[in-house]
Amino acid sequence: MTTNRRRFIGGGLGAVALAGSRSTLWAQSREPIKVGAFGPMSGNAAAQGQSIRESVEMVANLKNSAGGVLGRQIEIVIGDDAGKPEEAAVVARRFATRDQVSLAIGSVSSPASLAAAQVFREEELPQIVVSGTAQRITTQGNEWVFRSAVPDRKLVADMVEFINEKMPKLRRFGFVYVNDDFGKGGFDAFLEAAEERYSRGDLDFIGQLTRIRSTNPDAIVEWSRYTEGALIHRQIKQMGWELPRFGSDGIAAPAFLDLAKEAANGVIYPTHFSPATSANLPAAQAFIALVRKTYNKPPDYVHAQAFDAINIALAAIERAKSDDRTAVRNAMRQTDYQSVRGPFKFDQKGDPTLVTHMVRIVDVKETDARN
Amino acid sequence: MGALSLSQLIDLVVGGLAIGCVYSLIALGFAMIMRATNIIHFAQGEVMMLGSMCGLTSLWLLPALPLPVVIAVGMASSGLIAVAMELAVYRTLRRRRVPIMNIITATVGMSILCINAARIIWGSEPLRFPELFATTAYDFGGVRMSPQLFWIMVMGVAIMGALQLFLKHTPTGLAMQAVAQDHEAAQLMGANLTRIMAYTFAISGMMAGAAGIMLGSMFFAFFEMGFITGLKGFVAATLGGLGSIAGAMLGGILFGLIETFSTVFLSSAYKDGIGMILLIAILLVLPSGLVGLWQKRR
């Protein structure tokens, strides 16, 4: 396991030297508040792990240069779980014991987030999951877990509501989904649907699509990651099949548009964050500008979820007037925050009360489908 | 499910034949190398992947390249890569009289090496090919057909036909056939074994390179694309009767059709599993593969 640690003490080395020369009492009360951030910093999903790191470091740097929190600097400790549950559990244990963090932010995948959550629960350390959407993360009776992402069940329910409201004529659905937890989670919400499954990594979906086509549905829904999702939409087009098409949050990534190009036009899907659906959220506009200024690129949805998570965490520490883990957890429950995705509170389970944003692709670009 | 309409049936047949041609081209590489050297060349899928990547890179550099040139680039680069593998690794191992099993293990090593190299060079995200084919469907007397699948079939058949002509009517081709049948006799007749082996790898690589461009344009190119497709090509070669040229061609097309139709008529989620069960069933009936069908009667 690779370990990355980076300290954010204002002024860098000079400040460290200064602090060392002062009295121990003063130094203790001025010790930094430690926040852990973890995710896949290496491996297949490294880009998403880096997004967590970028957002969290950006916010910590800004806070530190403005005097920190409770008059103390914030120190971010980075952990790499490589997207694997077993490594996430090790990182979680290290955060709780050796690093002595007050709160942890992560991870990206649901299995890794869940594995870490079990450790944090034992160690009584508050955690904000960034983009793990599996419902079961927050349904284990774990009082230490919170989540920044809209969980999968709510996402699908919001999408079904959206369809019922805006396109009430669509009644019979064809549903093609990847044969794993992610795909099944989406399918459960659609009762009246002709169902077809595929395995992760499949390339050719003509067989599944032909079977669905023979049931003559009003619309088709695919629940895939962007690689397979792009192929499914391209192959629907290739078959010369015109009908309303819906996708999952798994295709809400710029790579989907790169791979599907014109075949993506008309597709509607739920998204965790999109500049296109945030035009009238001032917090989102400020966030987009900040990421552009700091990293010279547009933010992705993990940036947004991690940005909200670290801001909520720092606000909770401020309200608690302490970095004590229990106090921070209790303060977190009182969260009422203007997030980059809309007004944000935690429900009983620790899930956000956000309404899912819906996107429609027009001219190979995301637009707000709710408009 | 409801009954299939004729146009849906044609969609499926065309789709199955197109992907079948890709499997055939990979299977041909397996069969030719198997005949000449007794090696199962497990890096064949990766040779295909590298051809696909090189073809795509040529399109990035010169976006106006016509399709035949892209295919030629893919074939040439895969051919060169396969020859480099043979000359640098496999030939050296053979000279040192390393047991055949160890050389086969080395081919697995080559395949992992190629996957990692491709990941470093081209990254781990899937890469899209630009549109190489017309997007509006062809209409053959009321029968609609995707131009992409149509041309992949045509090119696949043309490349396989050219290979047959080469093997039957050129001195090099005939020498390759002779080496495949009996190393020592061919050598006594004056065939240069080292050179013929290199040619075999070159042609196997070229077949894979063509398959890589086709597969990449149908779906997309990415560093792991060679693994499962290479395995399917190997299965197709086994289905045809390992080491048989005609068997490999037939095996690939049959495997493509079986795979596509089993999705429709059996289960879609377990299509790979069903394909493999059918393969085992066919081998139980025809132990030497499809080639056994006509060899037995002789």
Side-chain angles (χ1 to χ4, degrees), chain B residues 234-250:
Chain B
F234 174 61
V235 168
T238 314
L239 187 61
L242 256 185
S244 154
I245 302 269
M249 293 182 189
L250 219 67

Side-chain angles (χ1 to χ4, degrees), chain A residues 178-368:
Chain A
V178 56
N179 198 10
D180 64 11
D181 277 4
F182 173 71
K184 286 190 193 104
F187 176 66
D188 286 347
F190 287 80
L191 291 174
E192 268 183 77
E195 154 192 23
E196 288 297 325
R197 286 169 287 172
Y198 64 85
S199 311
R200 189 92 202 259
D202 275 1
L203 298 171
D204 189 347
F205 304 93
I206 297 285
Q208 284 94 333
L209 295 174
T210 304
R211 262 163 81 118
I212 289 181
R213 194 176 192 178
S214 68
T215 66
N216 208 12
D218 299 331
I220 189 163
V221 186
E222 59 67 28
W223 219 255
S224 319
R225 276 89 174 182
Y226 61 83
T227 328
E228 290 94 349
L231 286 176
I232 289 172
H233 290 290
R234 270 164 60 179
Q235 287 168 21
I236 291 173
K237 280 281 159 194
Q238 199 178 55
M239 290 166 73
W241 191 14
E242 292 292 339
L243 82 171
R245 292 173 290 150
F246 298 90
S248 72
D249 53 322
I251 62 172
F256 169 71
L257 293 179
D258 284 347
L259 290 170
K261 284 276 190 297
E262 281 75 22
N265 287 341
V267 177
I268 294 176
Y269 55 75
T271 183
H272 292 284
F273 177 79
S274 164
T277 58
S278 320
N280 38 23
L281 291 171
Q285 295 307 311
F287 160 69
I288 294 169
L290 187 61
V291 174
R292 276 198 188 281
K293 199 182 94 190
T294 316
Y295 297 112
N296 197 21
K297 64 180 175 186
D300 60 33
Y301 75 96
V302 181
H303 278 124
Q305 290 167 339
F307 182 84
D308 286 341
I310 180 77
N311 277 309
I312 286 166
L314 297 183
I317 293 171
E318 245 159 20
R319 278 199 304 277
K321 299 196 173 53
S322 148
D323 61 351
D324 172 70
R325 290 170 182 176
T326 311
V328 171
R329 184 200 66 185
N330 293 340
M332 205 114 83
R333 296 208 179 286
Q334 313 307 320
T335 294
D336 185 356
Y337 161 73
Q338 287 303 318
S339 82
V340 304
R341 295 166 285 156
F344 191 117
K345 288 182 183 176
F346 286 117
D347 68 8
Q348 289 282 298
K349 300 193 298 291
D351 284 331
T353 54
L354 296 164
V355 177
T356 309
H357 296 217
M358 298 292 301
V359 157
R360 182 202 307 269
I361 301 298
V362 177
D363 293 333
V364 202
K365 281 197 195 78
E366 290 192 334
T367 65
D368 192 345

Side-chain angles (χ1 to χ4, degrees), chain A residues 237-240 242, chain B residues 131-140 143-151:
Chain A
K237 280 281 159 194
Q238 199 178 55
M239 290 166 73
E242 292 292 339
Chain B
E131 296 292 345
L132 294 169
F133 303 91
T135 41
T136 43
Y138 288 153
D139 198 325
F140 295 103
V143 177
R144 285 183 58 264
M145 208 180 270
S146 143
Q148 181 178 39
L149 299 181
F150 173 76
W151 283 111

Side-chain angles (χ1 to χ4, degrees), chain B residues 63-101:
Chain B
L65 281 187
L67 179 64
V69 181
V70 181
I71 297 239
V73 171
M75 288 175 82
S77 38
S78 282
L80 286 174
I81 289 162
V83 173
M85 285 179 183
E86 151 71 4
L87 294 183
V89 183
Y90 309 141
R91 187 179 62 164
T92 319
L93 291 176
R94 276 200 308 274
R95 281 202 176 152
R96 303 218 166 129
R97 309 221 172 274
V98 169
I100 198 93
M101 212 49 224

Side-chain angles (χ1 to χ4, degrees), chain B residues 33 41 44 47 50 75-92 94 110 194-206:
Chain B
I33 295 174
H41 189 226
Q44 199 63 14
V47 171
L50 290 171
M75 288 175 82
S77 38
S78 282
L80 286 174
I81 289 162
V83 173
M85 285 179 183
E86 151 71 4
L87 294 183
V89 183
Y90 309 141
R91 187 179 62 164
T92 319
R94 276 200 308 274
M110 279 316 282
T194 307
R195 189 179 299 165
I196 295 296
M197 296 285 187
Y199 284 145
T200 305
F201 272 87
I203 289 173
S204 307
M206 286 164 71

